Amino acid sequence: MDPALLHARAALDWLLELGADEAIGEEPVNRYALEARSAKPAQAAPPVAAPFVASAPADPVAAARALAEGAGDLPALAAAMDGFDCELKPGARSFVFADGTAGAPLMVVGEAPGRDEDIQGKPFVGAAGQLLDRMLAAIGRDRADPDPARAVYITNVLPWRPPGNRRPETPEIDRWRPFLHRHVELAAPRVLLILGNSPALALLNRGGITQIRGQWTEAAGRPALPSFHPSYLLRNPPAKREAWADLLALNARLRAPS
């Protein structure tokens, strides 16, 4: 057999194996027109299913509020926060809830976990945390001491580390605010120390920490003192003088009769 014919036959067999069992001409064929000319009666088109319309996602802030209100104690609150849907969770290593002694007279609220906090699963354990420990020790407070005269309880607005240690964004603060307010209610401190803009936004609905620091106010129904975040003090050592004044005011408030 002619080698050319053998080659053509092999190519045709290969096309058949691929499922190409119909010859296609050089001109397009309007098959709708062919069906219209067919002697067969037209068949009714199959019913078309209604398009799927996805329901609007639930309000994350309302969902957070419901979960927070349903937590009757701190372990239940931690479980609710750990299971709460958050875009930060897949990129973080550890859930960071709190450290220190629950029920301490002083509760410190920071922004969000950083690299070291994400590794250890505790708030304020990096360079900023070490500075915070020294600041608290200067007024007789120690997160490792359960004695109410020295105890302190520490947490953050966000329990998950933001990428690149960036600051929490406004939608993230809004989403986690109900949990933070419930956290304060369950921890029941006498006084709040608010460190940085993010906790000020979450608890006071205002930022500008350089303008509001050192001014006593109220947050979550408790006396609250805004001050600089330790990471800011590491970048701006001259601000430590103002932070020390805040600590002295805080210490006086804690020592005053309740």
Side-chain angles (χ1 to χ4, degrees):
M1 183 180 290
D2 188 345
L5 293 176
L6 288 174
H7 179 73
R9 179 60 182 270
L12 181 59
D13 291 339
W14 178 70
L15 290 172
L16 288 172
E17 289 181 3
L18 292 179
D21 56 358
E22 184 176 356
I24 304 297
E26 296 182 357
E27 298 293 332
V29 177
N30 187 342
R31 299 194 177 276
Y32 293 103
L34 292 177
E35 291 178 2
R37 292 196 300 268
S38 175
K40 296 181 180 180
Q43 296 180 352
V48 179
F52 173 75
V53 179
S55 58
D59 181 1
V61 177
R65 187 179 300 111
L67 288 172
E69 292 174 353
D73 53 27
L74 289 173
L77 180 66
M81 293 173 63
D82 192 6
F84 184 63
D85 185 29
C86 177
E87 292 85 353
L88 300 175
K89 186 175 182 178
R93 177 181 299 183
S94 301
F95 171 70
V96 181
F97 182 64
D99 194 19
T101 302
L106 173 61
M107 182 172 181
V108 179
V109 183
E111 294 188 338
R115 176 184 176 275
D116 295 300
E117 290 76 13
D118 190 39
I119 293 173
Q120 298 188 38
K122 293 182 179 181
F124 283 101
V125 294
Q130 294 167 18
L131 175 57
L132 175 62
D133 286 342
R134 294 195 297 271
M135 293 166 61
L136 293 173
I139 60 170
R141 295 284 159 178
D142 185 348
R143 73 168 87 189
D145 195 331
D147 182 354
R150 293 178 53 81
V152 61
Y153 187 64
I154 304 174
T155 190
N156 282 314
V157 176
L158 270 58
W160 302 106
R161 179 194 181 193
N165 287 358
R166 63 164 173 76
R167 287 184 178 179
E169 297 175 349
T170 300
E172 295 166 344
I173 295 173
D174 292 341
R175 179 173 297 188
W176 289 98
R177 181 183 288 113
F179 289 113
L180 178 59
H181 278 258
R182 185 60 175 156
H183 203 158
V184 174
E185 291 176 1
L186 294 173
R190 281 182 52 204
V191 177
L192 289 169
L193 177 60
I194 299 173
L195 298 180
N197 273 313
S198 296
L201 289 169
L203 291 169
L204 305 176
N205 291 316
R206 60 178 299 191
I209 196 67
T210 56
Q211 283 75 42
I212 65 175
R213 59 135 294 271
Q215 302 176 27
W216 281 101
T217 183
E218 184 176 293
R222 288 166 172 79
L225 183 65
S227 190
F228 295 125
H229 194 282
S231 61
Y232 175 83
L233 299 177
L234 291 174
R235 299 191 304 269
N236 301 275
K240 291 181 179 180
R241 176 177 305 206
E242 296 169 299
W244 175 240
D246 296 343
L247 286 174
L248 293 177
L250 176 68
N251 190 44
R253 189 66 173 257
L254 287 168
R255 291 180 178 275
S258 55

